Amino acid sequence: MSSNSFGKLFTVTTFGESHGPAIGCVIDGCPPGLSISAEEFKTDLERRATGRSRYTSQRHEADDVEILSGVYEGRTTGTPIALLIRNTDQRSKDYGDIVQTFRPGHADYTYWQKYGIRDPRGGGRSSARETTMRVAAAVIAKKWLAERYGVRVRGYLAQIGEITPDTFDWNAVEQNPFFWPDAAQVPALETYMNALRKSGDSVGARVNVVADGVPPGWGEPIYGKLDGDLASALMSINAVKGVEIGDGFAAVSQRGSQHRDEMSMDGFASNHAGGILGGISSGQPVTASIVLKPTSSILIPGHSVNLTGEPTEVVTKGRHDPCVGIRATPIAEAMMALVLIDHALRHRAQCGDVGTVEPLIPGQSGQ
Ligand code: EPS
């Protein structure tokens, strides 16, 4: 009912608030025998973390993962894996003013309407802090997908405000704090972000995510389509307001002769579909794109109402992200990986034998 769990066979439940003592997750259904150590969570958690550059919130968390269960002598046992990260750098006084009012454009208002009570410290459960545990759970998912199927999930920042990359190089993406694929543009982004920060405003962004090596067959029509589950998972990321699969909304002005991905014995000639046909992976790269809104916690005063229904003005103080999309790349990758591992296990359960006797297409495995 309360929807803090995600996935059918690889089920992740997250818990915790931004300024509570800790955040955590329980992963149920992880295949046994996967080697995993606390050390392996570090890279992706650091990629997602605040305070990694001056262009994100300056909250500094160690994000050290404690593995509480489900791992014995460095390998998953098939039992629930519980992961815990203690919060250490809360500054709840920043939220003193928010207790009595609502930031325009923030979940402050809808949480209050829904529950009649809320933890205003750091946005409580609505905080992007929660995405830490998605990224942690996905470290396990990514590793299993890579080892078992050779799947690699990676993403990049594809737009900030009006700025798009002039060139594209995967190698550039991990070399700058924006996950930007054009190294030559990074100084311009820094100038842009410095000016934005000074103005006290925020800006939106687009993140693209790609999974290579996904075999054909993952996804369950009709109500468990791979693209349907991906859209839901990506939309569940804080601040996401739009999701596209493959060409997405560009398809509106395309012709069928242009959009279809023609096939030959050498494979597909293009990938407008984003690797998914009829809700099932085609064996091509699975591609998705998300749009993150400009964050609502800004220094520019805005009109709002207080708890007694009177008009008031809100200025958000504290440590906020002027562009939350800057650190959304690892989160988008995480949600893609969590959907893929869930569907890999679901496909294996129902259709694991299909194509194992006779290949479905000569030269290709049905797995
Ligand atoms: C966030 C507001 C800030 C960010 C936080 C997300 O919280 P605080 O005021 O406590 O510093 O730092 O991000 C994280 C802590 C994180 O780990 O991502 C928000 O409103 O979502």
Side-chain angles (χ1 to χ4, degrees):
M1 236 332 228
S2 291
S3 299
N4 291 289
S5 301
F6 173 81
K8 284 194 174 168
L9 292 191
F10 189 93
T11 306
V12 180
T13 304
T14 71
F15 62 88
E17 284 82 28
S18 183
H19 288 206
I23 50 175
C25 72
V26 176
I27 302 160
D28 204 2
C30 181
L34 181 76
S35 83
I36 199 80
S37 67
E39 194 61 25
E40 286 173 80
F41 294 90
K42 278 201 176 313
T43 305
D44 268 356
L45 290 178
E46 271 169 22
R47 289 171 75 227
R48 191 217 66 91
T50 47
R52 185 175 175 242
S53 75
R54 57 201 297 239
Y55 311 108
T56 64
S57 157
Q58 291 304 298
R59 179 163 161 179
H60 290 277
E61 291 286 351
D63 284 347
D64 285 328
V65 171
E66 294 171 47
I67 303 175
L68 303 184
S69 70
V71 177
Y72 177 66
E73 293 184 340
R75 293 162 87 85
T76 59
T77 57
T79 60
I81 301 168
L83 304 178
L84 192 83
I85 293 177
R86 293 179 199 277
N87 291 323
T88 56
D89 189 24
Q90 305 95 318
R91 220 169 64 186
S92 301
K93 67 172 167 35
D94 288 348
Y95 291 85
D97 295 346
I98 305 297
V99 175
Q100 294 301 323
T101 185
F102 312 99
R103 285 167 282 183
H106 197 279
D108 290 339
Y109 178 68
T110 46
Y111 269 59
W112 178 256
Q113 287 290 345
K114 182 171 179 65
Y115 299 107
I117 181 170
R118 85 193 144 111
D119 177 353
R121 303 164 308 160
R125 183 77 181 145
S126 72
S127 169
R129 179 94 189 113
E130 184 270 344
T131 61
T132 315
M133 297 321 303
R134 305 174 188 223
V135 171
V139 166
I140 294 175
K142 279 180 172 178
K143 187 167 185 191
W144 186 83
L145 286 164
E147 285 190 359
R148 179 67 181 78
Y149 290 100
V151 169
R152 175 162 64 166
V153 183
R154 51 191 174 159
Y156 59 94
L157 189 60
Q159 187 164 346
I160 296 185
E162 299 296 317
I163 310 172
T164 53
D166 290 333
T167 62
F168 186 88
D169 178 6
W170 274 119
N171 293 322
V173 172
E174 298 298 325
Q175 308 300 321
N176 66 79
F178 303 102
F179 300 95
W180 195 256
D182 181 348
Q185 266 175 310
V186 171
L189 288 185
E190 289 170 345
T191 307
Y192 178 86
M193 288 307 301
N194 284 331
L196 180 71
R197 240 176 8 147
K198 249 183 227 152
S199 75
D201 216 340
S202 63
V203 74
R206 177 191 281 268
V207 170
N208 290 350
V209 58
V210 183
D212 292 304
V214 176
W218 294 1
E220 292 173 350
I222 298 294
Y223 300 113
K225 288 183 172 178
L226 187 59
D227 39 3
D229 284 355
L230 265 178
S232 171
L234 292 167
M235 192 61 105
S236 78
I237 298 171
N238 313 53
V240 170
K241 283 295 185 190
V243 177
E244 296 181 317
I245 308 291
D247 282 4
F249 284 94
V252 73
S253 58
Q254 294 174 352
R255 301 294 167 101
S257 53
Q258 185 188 356
H259 183 83
R260 67 183 176 179
D261 300 308
E262 294 189 72
M263 292 177 281
S264 71
M265 292 311 288
D266 294 330
F268 291 90
S270 53
N271 188 13
H272 299 287
I276 303 172
L277 295 167
I280 303 171
S281 61
S282 65
Q284 288 196 279
V286 173
T287 66
S289 187
I290 59 173
V291 169
L292 298 106
K293 70 177 184 180
T295 33
S296 52
S297 303
I298 55 177
L299 287 170
I300 296 173
H303 297 297
S304 187
V305 291
N306 64 21
L307 295 188
T308 48
E310 291 151 346
T312 184
E313 196 173 63
V314 174
V315 176
T316 314
K317 297 174 219 135
R319 311 165 293 186
H320 293 286
D321 292 272
C323 176
V324 79
I326 288 178
R327 55 194 186 90
T329 293
I331 308 167
E333 292 172 359
M335 295 318 288
M336 172 88 89
L338 291 173
V339 169
L340 290 175
I341 192 171
D342 193 44
H343 274 286
L345 295 172
R346 286 156 67 171
H347 178 66
R348 199 166 77 164
Q350 187 194 9
C351 301
D353 294 337
V354 175
T356 53
V357 182
E358 289 290 326
L360 299 180
I361 299 175
Q364 287 189 17
S365 158
Q367 288 298 289

